[in-house]
Structures are given as structure tokens and as C-alpha cells.
């Protein structure tokens, strides 16, 4: 295995790890705002790391350029979409979870 292949495997595994963290955040966190926070950050990082590894694997080809463009698109749109979802929820009057919510149940 070449050092480039080790780097690709490392990036993809790190991407899978952060995507898994996003899934755990969706399952474990209590409300929309915290879930959006967890998924926007960790899912974006996981996607960027995975696509970066794939772009390295392609080398100097048109596919690598397309993958980098996809990486940039995901880097811009994931946090923007999460912000738009959280803002829409706030506009709809959805209250954030607080510790007193859990005590009242």
C-alpha cells in the first residue's frame, strides 16, 4: 500500500467517523436546534473528509475536479441549510429544549 492510499483510507475513515457522530447526534439530542447543530457540523466535516479522500484517489483527472467542486458545494450548502431550518423553526415558534423541560416531565 502506498502512502497516498494510506492517506485516502485515513480521510475516508475519518469521514465515516464524523458521519457516525452526526447520526448519534440525531438520535441522542433532545430538540431540533441541537440536532441541527450536531448534524450540520459533523456531517459537513464527514462529507468533506470523505470527498477529499476520494478526490485524492482520482488523482489529476476531471473526476477529481468534479469531486472537489462537489466538496465545495457541500461545504457551503450544509451549514446554510441547517441555519435555514433552525431559523424557520424559530419563526414558527418552536422553543429550544431547556433543562427545566426535562424536570417538568
Amino acid at each position: 500500500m502506498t502512502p497516498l492510499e494510506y492517506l485516502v483510507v485515513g480521510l475516508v475513515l475519518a469521514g465515516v467517523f464524523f458521519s457516525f457522530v452526526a447520526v448519534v447526534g440525531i438520535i441522542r439530542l433532545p430538540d431540533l436546534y441541537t440536532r441541527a447543530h450536531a448534524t450540520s457540523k459533523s456531517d459537513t466535516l464527514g462529507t468533506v473528509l470523505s470527498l477529499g479522500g476520494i478526490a485524492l484517489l482520482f488523482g489529476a483527472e476531471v473526476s477529481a475536479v468534479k469531486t472537489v467542486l462537489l466538496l465545495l458545494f457541500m461545504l457551503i450548502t450544509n451549514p446554510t441549510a441547517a441555519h435555514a431550518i433552525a431559523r424557520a423553526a424559530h419563526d414558527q415558534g418552536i422553543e429550544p429544549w431547556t433543562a427545566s423541560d426535562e424536570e417538568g416531565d
Side-chain angles (χ1 to χ4, degrees):
M1 221 168 152
T2 65
L4 178 65
E5 291 172 342
Y6 281 116
L7 180 63
V8 168
V9 169
L11 286 173
V12 170
L13 286 177
V16 168
F17 170 76
F18 282 107
S19 296
F20 179 73
V21 168
V23 170
V24 171
I26 289 174
I27 294 171
R28 296 282 302 168
L29 294 176
D31 70 343
L32 183 136
Y33 300 105
T34 55
R35 290 177 182 161
H37 176 77
T39 57
S40 67
K41 291 188 184 301
S42 56
D43 191 41
T44 301
L45 184 58
T47 303
V48 166
L49 289 173
S50 296
L51 289 175
I54 292 170
L56 285 176
L57 186 64
F58 283 142
E61 295 180 8
V62 175
S63 301
V65 174
K66 290 179 181 176
T67 305
V68 169
L69 289 175
L70 181 60
L71 183 153
L72 292 174
F73 178 76
M74 296 297 289
L75 188 64
I76 293 169
T77 57
N78 270 358
T80 305
H83 177 77
I85 290 169
R87 186 178 178 116
H90 179 72
D91 289 345
Q92 293 294 315
I94 297 173
E95 295 292 325
W97 177 85
T98 60
S100 62
D101 291 342
E102 190 170 298
E103 294 170 1
D105 292 338

